[in-house]
Amino acid sequence: MKASVGGYARATDLRHALDLLAQSDGMGRVLAGGQSLIAAMNMRLSTGDLLVDINQIAALKGVTLDGDRLRIGALTRHAEVATDPLIARHAPLLRRATDLIAHAAIRNRGTIGGAIAHADPAAEFPACALALDATIHVDGPDGPRDIPAADFFEGLFETTIQDGEILTAISLPIAEDGEWQVIHELARRSGDYALAGLCVVRRKAGHRIVCISVGSHPELVPDAMARMDAGDIDGAVVALRAAIDPPSDTQASAAYRRHLIGVLLQRAAADLNGEPQ
Amino acid sequence: MTMRFGNPDRPNSYIGKTVPRPNAGRLVQGRGRYVDDIVLPRMVHVVFVRSPYAHAKIKGIDASEALAVKGVLRVFTGADIATVCTPWVGVLAHLKGLKSPPEYAIAVDRAAWVGEPVAAVVASTRLAAEEAAALVDVDYDPLPEVTDMMTALDDATPVLHPDMGDNLAFERTHVEGDIDAAFASAHKVIEAHFKTGRHTGVTLEPRSILVDWNPGEGHMTAWHATQAPHMVQVVLAEHLGMPESRVRVICGDVGGSYGIKVHIYPDEVATAAIAKIMARPVKFIADRLESFTTDIHARDHEIWGRIAVAEDGEILAFDIDDWTAIGAYSVYPRTSAIEGNQVVNLCGGPYDFKNYRAKTTVVFQNKTPTSQYRAVGHPIAVTVTEGLVDMAAAALDMDPVAIRHRNLFADDAYPATSPAKMRFEGLSHHASLTKLVDLMDYDALRADQAAAKARGVVRGIGIASFIELTNPSPMMYGIGGARISAQDGCTVRMDPDGSIVAASSVTEQGQGTEAMLSQIVAEGVGVLPTQVRIVTGDTQSTPYGGGTWASRGAGIGGEAALQAAKALRNAILEVAGAMLQCPPDTLDIRDGAVVNMSDGADRMPLSELGRIVYFRGDTLPKGLPRELVQTRHYTPADYPFAFTNGVQASYVEVDTDTGHVKLLKHWCVEDCGRVINPQLVDEQIRGGIVQGLGAALFEELHYDAEGQLLNGSMADYLVPMAGEMPDMIIAHVETPTLESELGAKGAGEAGTAGAAAAVMNAINDALRPFGGEVTAMPFTPERVLRGLGKLQD
Ligand SMILES: Cc1cc2nc3c(=O)[nH]c(=O)nc-3n(C[C@H](O)[C@H](O)[C@H](O)COP(=O)(O)OP(=O)(O)OC[C@H]3O[C@@H](n4cnc5c(N)ncnc54)[C@H](O)[C@@H]3O)c2cc1C
C-alpha cells in the first residue's frame, strides 16, 4: 500500500521540532529511525501524519557519562548502542539486547528513543530501561520532564509522553561493582520479536526482573524478584509464571509463553551463578 | 553428429559446465525490467476492493464517494466486467468427477473468500486508487461460512455452492493388490496422522500485469509476470472474446514464481477486461499484503497413513487417507485437484512394494483458493511415506538407512511401474542413498549424536527418499482438455556477424533458463555462450510452448534448443562445404569458426560465412540452401513423466526445554539426469530445500473459524531466512533419460519435495528417546514441546 502522509518537515533543533509539533493540530508525529512508524504508515495503520523529522537535531545524539549516571541521547541508533564503549562498560544489558533486536539494516536506522517512545511490549529496550531503573527525559510545550521508567510505560504502545512532547534522552545509574545484567529470549527466527523474553538485573539492593512479549507493557515482577533475592529460583519461576498474563497468537499460546518464561528465568539464574560480568 | 557428453575434452563442451548467466550482470546492476518498471502513455492503475467476509451476499455497491476522489476515473463492479468477460470453470476432463462453479473476474453477487475482488477502482495513480477503494461502500449480507476441512462434508455444514449439491470438489481412490490381507498378515502395523500447514509461495516480485488494448488494431498486449505466456494468451482470448492471434503476452524479467504465477487470477483477468473497456493501458501490481489473501495457497492437508511391514523390514503395504481443502473455487485452468491427486500418485513412490490404497478427498471452503505450488503434492507424499517408514524402522529396531536399502526399487529394476501406476524409466535410489551416507559420514554423525547426548544436547538425524515428477507429457493437462502446451520449441538463427539468437518458448523466472539455453545452443552450434543471445517470454516472437512449470524447462525446452542448434550447425556446414569445396561432414564448428573435423585447423570464421550469405549471396551456387534459421520442437512421448529421484538428510538440535529446533546441516543427493549447469542445478536444489525448510519450521497461514486470515503479513507469516538456514551439501547421481538426446530431467522441485520430511524425521529421531513425536507442520517450538508431552493445557 502507499502511505498517506499529511506533510513532512525536518526540524533543525529541538525548539524547532517542538514548534512544529505545536502547530500541527494534533497530527504531528515525530519521525526518528522510521523503523516502526514507516512500516505502520505503509500498512495504512496510521494516515495523515505531519511528520516532524528529528534526525538532524544534534542535541538528541550522543552518549555521555555524568558522574554515576549514563545519559543516552534519544537518537542513538541501535547499531551505536551495540558498539559504544561507555554503554558496554556501564550498561552491558543494552549492548546485549542489540544482538536480539531485528537485523543490521534496521539497527542502523532504529533509535533507542524511538523504541522507548513506541513502547512495543515485544521490544527489548523498553524492558531494559525499566530493568535498569532508567529515567526518561522528555521536553515539551510546558518544559522538560524527567519520568522514572516505572511510571513511563502505561499500556500497549502507551506511555506518559504527552502530545507535543519529545523524548530527548534516557539516563540510568551505571552498573555497580559486581552487578549482573542478563537478557534471555526466544524468537522463532533470529531478529524476530521474541515469543517471550526477560531482563534480570542483580544489584546490591536486589533483583529487578522485567519481561518481554508477555504483557501489555514492561512491568517489574515483585514476587519473583523477592524469591530471587531469597535465592529461591524454583519459587521465583513459579511466582513469575503466576504473575504474567501472556497473549495467545499465531506464533504461540499463552500456556507456551508461560512455560517459556520460566525456562528463561532458570537460564538467567544459571548465568547469575557463573562468572561475574 | 551425436553428442559425446561423456568426453569432457570434446570441443565446445559447455553442457555440463557452470557458465555465467547472461542476465546476471544486468540484474545486479538494477537494469532488470519487471512489469512495474514499464510505464506507457495514458496508463492508469487499478486497485481492487476485496471482500472482508469469507462468505457474503453483495447487496449493493455505492461508489459515489470513491468517484469523487481526485484522479479516480472509473469504478467497476462484477456485473460491469461480466459484460466483456465470461466466467471460467476450473475442471479437467481426466480428473473424473472434479466440479467447480463458474468463477467471475470480479464477484457478481456473492463473495466466497476474504480477499475476493468485489469491485475495481481505476485512477491515474495507485495512491488515488487506494484511497478511493477504501471509500467504496459495499453492502454485504454475511452468509454462513465453511472453514473447517474435516467437517466440510457433514450434513450440518452448509453447502458453499448450492448448485453443486455438496462441498465435495473431487475424490479419487486408487487400490492395488490386497490391502486388507497385507495388513492382517503384517508383523507390525504403524499408524500416524500428519498435517502439512497451509502455506503460500512468497515471491519477491508480487503478481503484476499491465494490459493495453488497441481498438484500432483489435489487438491486446499484456506485459505479465507469468510462467506460461501462451496459456495466458489462450485464456485472455477466450474469455475476452478475441482470436488468440490478437493477444500478445510479453513476460520480461520475473522476480520468482514457484508456481504462484502459473495460474489465472481473477484480478489479473479483470485488469485485461478493464483495459478493453477503457481502451487504455491498465496496470495492476499486487500489494504484498493483498498477496497473502489472493496468491494461491497450497499444502492444506491432513493425512491418516498406515504402513504394514514384515519382521525383516519388508514394506508390505501403505494405506493413505488424504484430505485437502481448496478454497471456494478450483483454480483455472490447472485446477485445485492436482495436489491431492499427486498425493495418491506419489505416496510410497521410492519403494518396491505390492499393496497400496490411497484416497484423496478434496473439499470446498471459504478460504483463498489453493493450487499448484513448487513440488505440487510431493512434500505431502514424502512426509507421509518417509514419516511412516521411519516409524516402522523404529518399531522394528532397524536403522533408517537399512530399512530404505531393504525396500527401495533396485537400481537395475527399470523400467518399473509403482503400485500407484507411475512408470519409471530409470532411477538410482540405492546409488543416491549410498552417496548420501558417504557424504554425511553417517556413522560419524551417529557418533556425534551420541556424544552430544552425553553432554545433554539433544540431536537427531533424519533421512527422506523421494521421487519427483518432471518433464510432463500431454498426459498432465492436454489430455484433460486444457490448452496448456506440453511441447516446447526453439528457433535458432545465425546473424551476419556469426552471432546466434535463440528464441525459446520456455521462460525465465530468475532460475537461469537463459543460461541453460545459451550453453546448450553454444555447444549445439559450436560457438561461445557469450555469442548466443536468448529471447524468451513473448508469444509473438518465440515458438509456441508451455513455459516454466513442473520442472520442465531444461528437459523439454533444452532438448528443443539442442535439436534446433544442431540443425543450424548442419545448415551452416552445408554452406561452408560449398564455400570451401569439401564435404560438410569433414568440417566442424568450434569456438565460432569453421574448422577441419580431423585436425581442428581453422578454415573460416562464422562472420565470414555470414558476410557471404547475407551480403554476397550471389557468389554461392544458385540452388544451395542457406537457411541459417532453424526451429525444432520437442514433446515427451515415451513416458507420461520423466521421474527423478533423490534423498535428503537433515541434522538438527532440539532444545527440549523450549521446543526450539536448530538446523545444523542438510544434505541432498539427487538424480536429474544430465546436469547441464552444475551451479544452477545446485542452487535450484538449495532454493528448493529452503522452501521445504520453511514448510518444516516456519510457514503456516492461520485462519479463524470465520475464515479470516490471521497472519497475512511478512511480520506474522514467517518465511525461512538466511540466519536459520544450515549449510547444504548437494551432490548428484546422473541417470540421463534416454527419451531425449540431451538426457536432462527436471531439478526445480526436488529440494522442496524432501526437505520437510527429512527435518521431521530428524526431530523425531531426537525426540524418540523421550517418547516424543511430532507430525503436524510446521514444527513450532510449541508443537515440539507438546510433542514431548511437556505442555498439557
Ligand atoms: C522487521 C523489523 C523487525 C524488528 N524487530 C525488532 C525487535 O526484534 N526488537 C525491537 O525492539 N524492535 C524491533 N523492531 C523495531 C525497531 O527496533 C524500531 O526501530 C524501533 O522500535 C523504533 O525506533 P525508530 O527510531 O525506528 O522509531 P520510529 O519508527 O521513527 O518511531 C516510532 C514511534 O515512536 C515515536 N517517536 C520516535 N522517536 C521519538 C522521540 N524521540 N520522541 C517522541 N516520540 C518518538 C514516533 O512518533 C512513532 O510513533 C523491528 C523493526 C522491523 C522493521
Side-chain angles (χ1 to χ4, degrees), chain B residues 596-670:
Chain B
N596 285 333
M597 180 71 89
S598 54
D599 59 7
D602 260 338
R603 298 297 301 274
M604 178 173 51
L606 288 182
S607 56
E608 175 59 12
L609 187 140
R611 185 183 70 83
I612 298 297
V613 167
Y614 288 107
F615 307 118
R616 290 303 309 275
D618 57 306
T619 64
L620 295 172
K622 190 151 184 250
L624 179 75
R626 52 199 79 171
E627 296 299 337
L628 302 191
V629 185
Q630 296 289 328
T631 299
R632 292 293 182 276
H633 291 84
Y634 174 66
T635 316
D638 295 349
Y639 283 81
F641 315 107
F643 272 97
T644 72
N645 68 279
V647 58
Q648 298 192 25
S650 163
Y651 194 38
V652 303
E653 189 169 299
V654 181
D655 182 332
T656 53
D657 292 324
T658 66
H660 185 258
V661 174
K662 183 173 182 201
L663 302 167
L664 298 175
K665 204 161 178 177
H666 201 95
W667 297 263
C668 177
V669 177
E670 68 85 56

Side-chain angles (χ1 to χ4, degrees), chain B residues 198-222:
Chain B
R198 173 180 273 251
H199 52 282
T200 184
V202 179
T203 58
L204 206 51
E205 178 208 27
R207 292 188 294 109
S208 309
I209 190 167
L210 165 60
V211 187
D212 190 17
W213 164 250
N214 182 336
E217 286 182 321
H219 190 271
M220 177 172 277
T221 306

Side-chain angles (χ1 to χ4, degrees), chain A residues 148 162 176 205:
Chain A
Q162 301 297 309
E176 305 165 347

Side-chain angles (χ1 to χ4, degrees), chain A residues 23-25 34 37 39 53 55 86 91 106 118-119 129 139 147 172 175 202 247 271:
Chain A
Q23 295 154 15
S24 69
D25 234 359
L37 181 54
D53 184 344
N55 282 276
L86 289 173
I106 294 157
H118 191 52
D139 207 342
I147 310 156
L172 38 92
R202 190 176 77 194
D271 281 359

